[in-house]
Amino acid sequence: MTAVQFVRLADVAPTPWRNGGGSTRELLAWPNAERWALRLSVAEIERDGPFSSFHGIDRWFAVIDGAGVELRFGSADRIRSVRRGDEVLQFDGGIAPACRLLDGPTQDLNLMLARGRGGLQRLQPSEPLLLRAPLKAVYVADAAVLHRAGAAPQPLVAGSLAWSDAAAGELWTIEAAPGARAWSVAYEPEVEKKK
């Protein structure tokens, strides 16, 4: 049975943005914080302003709390509104969209990948999460229970992450109340070519 690591959002100190528009709490930087290939974080957007540009990075964005945001990707014909309950939005991290709050501060979940393959998706309670990727994670905004084949059920407090980078093929299921907010991450590292 593989080991699963747990991170509580409340235990992670926020890092204020340089532009003063919000803050970020980093939940996971893999394989390490200095040279990450995967980074998962929760951000508090407190006022309108542009996103930071991350060239060469793939991004996924989901609203956890608040009314949501309107993102403008360079021109008026590329506007996307993202609200609580919407599907995850994927975009090129090198594009720094202008962000407008729809109705007050918003909390969001962000996945960034520098290398490898993966993604972030909304997870329905009791929906089996069978991913062949070596790294898998579940973030729950509402209290839930993590079930893994062959392991005791693990309660997850609201605002927590469960993850493992050695769980390829394991069956994970989240048990939660109807309407509970949860997201899954699957990630397969890039295989380095031999020289």
Side-chain angles (χ1 to χ4, degrees):
M1 181 59 58
T2 60
V4 174
Q5 300 188 55
F6 302 92
V7 181
R8 292 179 56 185
L9 183 65
D11 295 336
V12 180
T15 301
W17 296 347
R18 284 178 292 202
N19 67 8
S23 62
T24 296
R25 285 182 277 184
E26 185 178 279
L27 301 177
L28 174 61
W30 188 93
N32 57 64
E34 291 73 36
R35 298 190 64 217
W36 54 265
L38 174 151
R39 182 173 182 257
L40 184 69
S41 63
V42 170
E44 307 285 344
I45 305 176
E46 297 167 1
R47 67 180 193 209
D48 299 349
F51 277 20
S52 296
S53 176
F54 290 92
H55 292 286
I57 302 296
D58 291 322
R59 287 189 74 166
W60 287 259
F61 176 90
V63 171
I64 299 172
D65 265 325
V69 299
E70 179 185 87
L71 301 178
R72 181 183 300 267
F73 293 88
S75 63
D77 60 345
R78 294 207 56 222
I79 295 176
R80 288 289 304 270
S81 291
V82 187
R83 296 175 171 83
R84 178 175 161 168
D86 285 354
E87 290 301 315
V88 176
L89 175 66
Q90 180 185 1
F91 61 95
D92 179 347
I95 301 172
C99 175
R100 183 180 69 83
L101 294 168
L102 295 178
D103 186 17
T106 295
Q107 183 183 67
D108 61 81
L109 184 64
N110 293 279
L111 173 67
M112 294 192 282
L113 297 183
R115 300 177 297 282
R117 295 183 301 169
L120 174 73
Q121 67 179 20
R122 186 87 188 249
L123 182 63
Q124 298 302 320
S126 300
E127 177 183 351
L129 175 62
L130 180 59
L131 304 172
R132 297 194 184 281
L135 188 152
K136 70 172 66 173
V138 173
Y139 179 78
V140 296
D142 301 299
V145 178
L146 172 64
H147 295 276
R148 298 186 298 140
Q154 176 68 52
L156 301 176
V157 299
S160 64
L161 174 74
W163 72 277
S164 173
D165 60 2
E170 279 191 6
L171 178 63
W172 289 16
T173 304
I174 293 296
E175 178 187 351
R181 296 161 297 161
W183 292 265
S184 65
V185 174
Y187 176 68
E188 186 171 347
E190 185 177 67
V191 178
E192 293 187 14
K193 296 178 181 176
K194 295 182 180 180
K195 295 181 180 180

